[in-house]
Amino acid sequence: MWIGIDDTDSPAGMCTTYIGAVLVRRLQRCGVRVVDARLVRLNPNVIHKTRGNAAVCIEAEGDTETVFALTCACVEALAEFDDPRTNPGVAVSSVRPSPDFYYAALRDFCTVDEAVGVLESAGARYRGYKNRRGLIGATAAVASDFPDRTYELLAYRKREMWGTPRQVDRSSLFCAEETTYPHTWDTVDRENDVVVGVPHTPDPVLFGIRGESPAWVRKARSSVRSEEPACEQVYTTNQGTDAHLVAGSVGTLREGRSYLVRGTVAGTPATGPGGHVSFLLEDGGREVRGMAYEPTKGFRDVVRRLVPGDEVVAAGSYKGGSLNLEKIGVSRLADAVRIRPPICPACAKRMTSAGTEKGYKCRACGERSREPEIERAERALRPGWYEVPPTARRHLARPLVRGVPPWEQAMLQSGRECGCSPHKQP
Ligand code: ATP
């Protein structure tokens, strides 16, 4: 059976993955065999999310009624019911619903009624608390399908430590990354000298290690020195897979969805207030603004090096008329040219403009020329992919260290939208 849980936490505490870890142990104590525990990230642009829009799915074998009762009891004991924005959902299904609902919740927006329709058709047991919104994530979790997957080991704090500063040895986290990269990633951001895998929120998570297999995340974990955790859980996840992206085209992007879009840089990138960098991306006469926000740090320098005429593919969420960049692929660099008045052949002084469409004139000797000096500048950018640093990476964004999926590479190379996402399109 598949057990889905969502919407149990608030900014003041708790975490759905912690409830998942507790439930795994309670199920095992009751003789239920746990086959897999999945951390399912959903549309990162959903406004109701507390933090990273995560839901949990536990795959198990046992008696459905017992499991449903245990799951509800666990959520009722641990969820942050007092927060008006916490609306838990629980679903247990012995039939796995079609992944369509998962893809819709991952890439689009869904309603509680749609979730209930899916659960009813599957003959699932379910319970929605308060306004029942958590049923959306719980249903998406039960229906989830990971053609590509990564793993995260999450260590949780003892209850008496919740809300206090976390004791995790910084150098041991850098050591964990150094000894296991590229098989694990994003424990720390070495370029910016920042720890990424230890949260600052008052939830039960002590630290998280992301990687390509349970063995690699455990190996990295063995280097970490910290306060004693209450428990640890390795989750199978859709994090770091780009599962949220679909092939899109400028002019047809929809608010709150995430895309890979092809286009030509149409204006020189500009740095605005707050250090955010923006540029116009054009395709077929239509334009969209690409944004690299200040937290993306050195990635902004890549964007600043773009010049009009560069052909790129850009990945990110479309929000408020902008594509908020997660990564960018440069497929063709335009010639960067500087056009200046020429040097006078007679007296070696630089000429000045003689007026609109009148060419150039030497102020010293009166010599005239029609041709400007065209200087081709060396480009400080190479074709290829560039990404935001770990400290600014979204959970679903696929780090380049994992490679670029064929459909994204095809979009970079083909010069047109190929629409061949490996994942089912909603
Ligand atoms: P938690 O750690 O508790 O899971 P979170 O950051 O994941 O925190 P939630 O508290 O779960 O956020 O809030 C997200 C809410 O949005 C949930 O009620 C979930 O059912 C709902 N939701 C998730 N995806 C979608 C979607 N695509 N469309 C509409 N609602 C969604």
Side-chain angles (χ1 to χ4, degrees):
M1 79 193 81
W2 291 268
I3 307 159
I5 314 169
D6 197 17
D7 207 339
T8 62
D9 66 3
S10 77
M14 195 40 63
C15 173
T16 303
T17 72
Y18 173 74
I19 296 186
V22 170
L23 181 60
V24 163
R25 281 143 190 84
R26 289 191 187 171
L27 291 169
Q28 287 167 334
R29 275 205 299 275
C30 293
V32 174
R33 194 171 97 82
V34 172
V35 179
D36 194 17
R38 297 169 159 234
L39 164 47
V40 185
R41 297 283 176 186
L42 300 171
N43 187 342
N45 306 307
V46 159
I47 52 164
H48 303 295
K49 69 177 182 175
T50 312
R51 284 178 280 267
N53 202 7
V56 160
C57 173
I58 296 168
E59 192 176 342
E61 287 167 6
D63 173 59
T64 314
E65 283 308 313
T66 310
V67 166
F68 183 64
L70 271 170
T71 307
C72 291
C74 199
V75 167
E76 285 162 24
L78 293 170
E80 293 267 308
F81 278 95
D82 291 342
D83 190 299
R85 289 157 299 176
T86 300
N87 299 285
V90 168
V92 176
S93 182
S94 48
V95 176
R96 191 153 171 192
S98 147
D100 288 359
F101 189 79
Y102 159 67
Y103 285 109
L106 173 68
R107 298 170 175 168
D108 214 311
F109 297 92
C110 306
T111 64
V112 173
D113 286 347
E114 287 163 351
V116 167
V118 169
L119 294 170
E120 287 287 341
S121 313
R125 294 282 277 127
Y126 63 94
R127 187 167 295 162
Y129 299 85
K130 298 166 69 182
N131 77 11
R132 310 200 300 165
R133 188 181 293 124
L135 283 177
I136 299 171
T139 307
V142 160
S144 64
D145 171 36
F146 295 172
D148 182 20
R149 61 194 56 201
T150 64
Y151 296 84
E152 180 159 7
L153 181 149
L154 282 158
Y156 297 100
R157 313 185 75 190
K158 294 182 172 172
R159 188 174 277 265
E160 63 270 23
M161 305 299 279
W162 295 359
T164 65
R166 291 170 172 86
Q167 307 297 327
V168 186
D169 182 77
R170 185 184 154 87
S171 63
S172 73
L173 293 164
F174 279 82
C175 171
E177 171 106 355
E178 268 153 35
T179 52
T180 57
Y181 184 89
H183 307 289
T184 72
W185 51 84
D186 291 2
T187 304
V188 296
D189 182 333
R190 286 186 271 185
E191 192 184 318
N192 293 298
D193 197 26
V194 175
V195 168
V196 180
V198 179
H200 302 286
T201 40
D203 59 76
V205 174
L206 180 58
F207 61 82
I209 308 269
R210 297 176 178 192
E212 68 183 34
S213 71
W216 277 110
V217 294
R218 285 197 180 99
K219 182 170 164 53
R221 188 268 168 272
S222 67
S223 299
V224 181
R225 290 188 302 272
S226 70
E227 66 187 53
E228 197 187 330
C231 66
E232 297 177 19
Q233 179 68 45
V234 176
Y235 277 102
T236 308
T237 97
N238 59 353
Q239 291 171 167
T241 64
D242 276 356
H244 60 316
L245 299 183
V246 295
S249 53
V250 178
T252 63
L253 307 182
R254 295 191 301 151
E255 178 74 16
R257 282 76 168 181
S258 308
Y259 296 98
L260 189 64
V261 186
R262 201 178 159 91
T264 304
V265 175
T268 304
T271 305
H276 312 308
V277 177
S278 65
F279 68 97
L280 284 178
L281 188 65
E282 184 271 334
D283 188 34
R286 300 201 266 193
E287 290 181 340
V288 65
R289 191 169 48 242
M291 289 294 305
Y293 284 98
E294 190 280 334
T296 65
K297 303 292 175 199
F299 177 70
R300 293 172 302 160
D301 293 332
V302 171
V303 173
R304 286 189 187 104
R305 285 181 205 135
L306 295 169
V307 302
D310 284 346
E311 286 176 18
V312 300
V313 286
S317 294
Y318 182 65
K319 284 174 90 175
S322 299
L323 195 67
N324 299 336
L325 300 178
E326 295 168 13
K327 69 178 166 190
I328 195 159
V330 179
S331 53
R332 205 182 67 82
L333 289 168
D335 284 336
V337 291
R338 189 154 80 135
I339 297 174
R340 295 199 288 172
I343 301 286
C344 174
C347 63
K349 295 223 163 52
R350 190 166 296 279
M351 295 178 160
T352 55
S353 170
T356 311
E357 295 187 1
K358 290 203 178 109
Y360 303 93
K361 186 176 175 187
C362 179
R363 299 285 165 208
C365 68
E367 180 82 13
R368 284 182 171 270
S369 169
R370 292 217 69 82
E371 297 307 318
E373 179 184 290
I374 299 175
E375 191 187 341
R376 276 181 215 291
E378 179 73 15
R379 295 294 309 272
L381 203 59
R382 292 277 160 266
W385 292 92
Y386 299 87
E387 64 185 347
V388 303
T391 181
R393 191 168 356 256
R394 295 182 113 179
H395 299 294
L396 282 159
R398 180 171 167 138
L400 292 179
V401 69
R402 294 200 66 231
V404 175
W407 75 277
E408 294 184 11
Q409 196 58 33
M411 257 181 90
L412 182 77
Q413 282 160 357
S414 71
R416 63 197 142 79
E417 180 185 321
C418 73
C420 54
S421 164
H423 310 306
K424 192 172 175 358
Q425 304 276 323

